[in-house]
Amino acid sequence: MSRISTSTRWVAALVVIIALAPVPAGNFTVSLLNEIGISALVALGLILLTGVGGAISFGQAAFVGIAAYASAWLTTAQGMSPWAGLVFALLLTGLSALVIGMLTLRLGGHFLALSTIAWGLSIAMLFGNIEGLGRHTGLSNIPAISIGSWSLIDPHHMYYLVWVIVGLAFLFSRNLLNSRPGRAIRGLRGGSTLLASVGADAYRIRLSLFVIAALLAGIAGWLYAHMNRFVSPSPFDVHASIEYLLMAVAGGLGSLLGALVGSGVVLVLKNALQDVLPLLTDQAGQLDAIAFALLFILLLHFARSGLMGFVLRWWRRRAHARPQSSQPLDVGPGVTPLPERPKPEKGSRILSVQSAVKRFGGLVAVNDVSFDVQAGEILGLIGPNGAGKSTMFNLLTRTLPMSSGKVDFLGRDISSMRQLDVARLGLARTFQHVKLRPHMNLLDNVALGAHARVRAGMLQAGLRLNRQEEQQIRLEAMRQLERIGLADRAHEMAGSLPLGTQRILEIARALAADPVLLVLDEPAAGLRRKEKVDLGDLLRKLRADGVTILIVEHDMDFVMKLVDRLVVMNFGSKLIEGVPAVVRADERVQAAYLGGAA
């Protein structure tokens, strides 16, 4: 039995269990299962936002409350249908998330987490101080959801609506993560520089993800309001947000199923404590909070990957114990390759640096440097440590702003462009310190490089409206893996590769962008002799295929045997430019770089 079919059997078994669960159960058990499903929606959003995207939020309960109050007010005060309430709730929740996200997501780190606490507190307080929302008393007599003439007031009837929505939300999230925007989402933890290098906007991706997580919380709020038929401020404060985060952590932030597992464990444990603690003490409420605080601390110490983390580790050990077979890429018949950008004529100028200067306060790191790159060549930018070549590299790729000077690429002034816009023009790069996503396989890491060549967004991806595009991306990624000799390892995790292979994989990711100019930042750093030989052979092969390469490197011997021309820098200035033989014979280069020996 193949691994894919085994996974399908587990999913099918889970669906059957969920479908049959309410048949023998009483109203209390079914109501608890409904609460687990509703909470799983919020936890699912947190897994996408926090577990995958790396942005911690302590305010998701506020979005649950916004949707719950929005639908409750519309259906009680305005007498409209709960389905109209759903539309209104999602619109208001999405707009709130968009505004809050635009104000807070640029903060990053612990400042972002603190800001989520602030707006989580303020929104819950707002509910309790608006007369039209019942102040702290809340809103009651909220109508139950109806489908035609069939009312879902009974928990058994409500159960199937809740879990169908949960199933659709999980399917949407799974489709999203296995797509063009999903690879960018999984790349968020690699930093904005990594995403900008493939033409992706990290801020917009994080903002879209923030809104999606809020909308999942909004659907949960709508279900909560019409299932309980009463809302008040207390279930939507920061304490509830922490509980939702605990569910995501307990289940496992690295797995979508962790949302379901975590919400089930936390709510079952919460109900058990509420039954047991009153038998032991009169202060059960305080001990309840202490018990959950201890659970959170224990999870952070001993099970950071959550319960699903144990399951996934067992699954991987089981998979490694079985004989491994290569998995051929199935993209379906008749898939057309991604269109390629026209290549400039060989020998034409594609990049021109004119009097580039970069100052850091009183330090001049790059001082009046000028040179050109011609189509079809390999140009080396070299120099001893501290020569300014890495700073020059960052100016070319727009990672750093220039103090003065100009850089033209394909006839356009890119001196003030954003890094991601330059990448979209056809300037692809690698990194001195390898930036791969270790928990993504080789195919997905390379496919990330093709991000700017296609256009499908998150909604299209979640609804699987991007199938043709995804097949084209996968075909391109496999083509580049074949180009570097790693096609037979396409489904391995990138983190398992040795450093030399990781550097070559980064080149494949850059090639997937269909670049006009490939810029390599010290690709030979840390490589053994055999790995350097293999890298040199690959770069010569790329040059023969018409790829233009600018290589910034410290290893003089490696570069001399590879490049067509050299630009030598020292103390931030250009020392000499020419063919390798001329550069090697220059006395200034010998003194600055070779210690006086040719």
Side-chain angles (χ1 to χ4, degrees):
M1 184 68 67
S2 70
R3 187 175 176 182
I4 293 177
S5 59
T6 302
S7 302
T8 303
R9 286 192 302 164
W10 280 106
V11 172
L14 181 61
V15 170
V16 171
I17 291 170
I18 291 174
L20 297 179
V23 174
N27 280 350
F28 174 79
T29 301
V30 174
S31 295
L32 178 59
L33 291 173
N34 288 342
E35 289 183 28
I36 290 172
I38 291 172
S39 298
L41 289 171
V42 188
L44 179 62
L46 279 168
I47 284 176
L48 292 173
L49 180 64
T50 303
V52 182
I56 298 175
S57 172
F58 290 98
Q60 294 307 103
F63 293 128
V64 179
I66 289 172
Y69 266 97
S71 190
W73 174 81
L74 195 72
T75 53
T76 56
Q78 306 302 318
M80 298 187 72
S81 162
W83 295 104
L86 173 61
V87 175
F88 180 60
L90 292 182
L91 286 174
L92 190 59
T93 304
L95 180 62
S96 301
L98 182 63
V99 172
I100 291 171
M102 291 174 67
L103 293 174
T104 61
L105 284 179
R106 292 192 187 275
L107 294 174
H110 57 279
F111 295 107
L112 173 60
L114 290 172
S115 72
T116 64
I117 295 175
W119 53 258
L121 285 168
S122 62
I123 289 176
M125 292 177 62
L126 184 66
F127 295 149
N129 287 278
I130 296 179
E131 189 67 39
L133 298 180
R135 299 177 68 86
H136 291 284
T137 305
L139 296 173
S140 57
N141 297 320
I142 301 170
I145 298 170
S146 297
I147 302 176
S149 60
W150 183 32
S151 174
L152 304 185
I153 193 169
D154 185 273
H156 284 76
H157 298 161
M158 189 69 176
Y159 174 90
Y160 289 102
L161 176 63
V162 170
W163 285 95
V164 165
I165 291 175
V166 170
L168 292 174
F170 271 81
L171 184 60
F172 180 94
S173 301
R174 178 180 175 276
N175 291 342
L176 174 61
L177 290 182
N178 293 321
S179 69
R180 167 192 181 260
R183 284 184 288 271
I185 290 170
R186 288 185 282 165
L188 282 169
R189 287 183 175 272
S192 59
T193 302
L194 166 62
L195 288 181
S197 73
V198 298
D201 188 334
Y203 170 71
R204 289 188 63 181
I205 293 167
R206 190 173 283 112
L207 180 59
S208 299
L209 189 59
F210 187 75
V211 172
I212 286 175
L215 290 175
L216 288 172
I219 296 172
W222 176 73
L223 290 169
Y224 175 91
H226 294 283
M227 183 180 75
N228 292 290
R229 306 185 65 195
F230 169 76
V231 293
S232 64
S234 57
F236 312 122
D237 59 13
V238 171
H239 298 289
S241 291
I242 294 173
E243 190 170 292
Y244 287 131
L245 189 59
L246 174 60
M247 292 175 187
V249 172
L253 287 169
S255 169
L256 295 179
L257 279 177
L260 182 58
V261 173
S263 59
V265 168
V266 170
L267 287 178
V268 168
L269 181 60
K270 184 178 180 180
N271 276 273
L273 288 173
Q274 288 174 348
D275 290 338
V276 172
L277 289 178
L279 302 177
L280 304 176
T281 177
D282 294 332
Q283 298 179 334
Q286 291 85 339
L287 288 178
D288 189 355
I290 293 172
F292 274 94
L294 288 174
L295 175 61
F296 213 156
I297 293 170
L298 289 173
L299 280 168
L300 293 177
H301 271 284
F302 301 109
R304 293 187 182 183
S305 56
L307 297 175
M308 284 302 298
F310 292 111
V311 174
L312 291 173
R313 283 196 292 272
W314 168 80
W315 181 267
R316 291 184 186 121
R317 285 196 299 269
R318 185 170 176 266
H320 288 317
R322 296 195 302 266
Q324 298 294 308
S325 59
S326 60
Q327 301 179 21
L329 180 66
D330 180 17
V331 295
V335 177
T336 57
L338 289 171
E340 297 183 359
R341 68 179 94 238
K343 295 294 188 293
E345 182 180 351
K346 186 174 182 179
S348 62
R349 186 175 63 187
I350 60 174
L351 181 78
S352 177
V353 182
Q354 304 165 26
S355 303
V357 176
K358 178 60 182 177
R359 297 185 181 90
F360 296 98
L363 173 66
V364 181
V366 174
N367 184 23
D368 195 28
V369 174
S370 302
F371 61 90
D372 296 334
V373 180
Q374 298 170 0
E377 73 170 345
I378 300 180
L379 175 69
L381 179 62
I382 65 171
N385 289 330
K389 55 188 184 298
S390 292
T391 304
M392 187 71 246
F393 181 96
N394 289 328
L395 295 181
L396 296 178
T397 56
R398 297 300 303 137
T399 308
L400 285 175
M402 297 177 67
S403 300
S404 64
K406 183 180 179 183
V407 178
D408 284 339
F409 180 56
L410 299 177
R412 297 183 60 176
D413 184 359
I414 64 170
S415 307
S416 58
M417 281 189 180
R418 297 180 301 172
Q419 182 190 0
L420 66 93
D421 293 325
V422 174
R424 290 170 183 172
L425 284 178
L427 194 154
R429 64 166 293 178
T430 63
F431 295 87
Q432 180 180 356
H433 303 290
V434 176
K435 289 184 180 292
L436 294 172
R437 300 314 302 137
H439 299 298
M440 287 167 59
N441 62 31
L442 273 62
L443 188 68
D444 281 341
N445 267 283
V446 176
L448 180 61
H451 183 89
R453 298 176 67 181
V454 288
R455 290 289 176 266
M458 292 191 181
L459 183 60
Q460 290 172 289
L463 298 177
R464 288 295 303 277
L465 301 176
N466 63 331
R467 295 176 191 175
Q468 177 70 20
E469 195 175 88
E470 273 301 302
Q471 289 177 332
Q472 290 179 303
I473 294 173
R474 287 165 60 82
L475 184 64
E476 175 66 20
M478 184 57 77
R479 186 173 78 88
Q480 299 303 339
L481 285 173
E482 290 172 350
R483 199 174 187 180
I484 63 170
L486 292 175
D488 59 336
R489 306 176 70 177
H491 300 281
E492 292 184 23
M493 295 296 110
S496 66
L497 300 177
L499 176 61
T501 311
Q502 288 187 13
R503 290 199 180 279
I504 291 175
L505 184 64
E506 264 205 331
I507 293 174
R509 183 182 66 201
L511 291 171
D514 185 29
V516 174
L517 175 62
L518 178 62
V519 188
L520 308 179
D521 190 1
E522 300 201 21
L527 301 191
R528 296 185 295 269
R529 184 179 180 279
K530 177 62 169 60
E531 291 173 329
K532 289 181 181 181
V533 171
D534 292 340
L535 175 61
D537 291 341
L538 173 63
L539 297 182
R540 291 185 191 95
K541 179 182 175 183
L542 293 177
R543 175 176 56 190
D545 291 341
V547 179
T548 306
I549 301 171
L550 171 61
I551 179 170
V552 178
E553 185 53 68
H554 178 74
D555 189 328
M556 187 75 152
D557 184 59
F558 173 76
V559 173
M560 284 289 183
K561 298 174 182 177
L562 175 68
V563 304
D564 300 300
R565 291 190 303 120
L566 283 166
V567 174
V568 183
M569 293 183 64
N570 193 30
F571 297 115
S573 300
K574 187 173 82 170
L575 203 59
I576 187 175
E577 178 178 353
V579 297
V582 172
V583 169
R584 182 185 289 273
D586 190 274
E587 294 182 357
R588 294 170 298 171
V589 175
Q590 294 172 8
Y593 203 117
L594 303 176

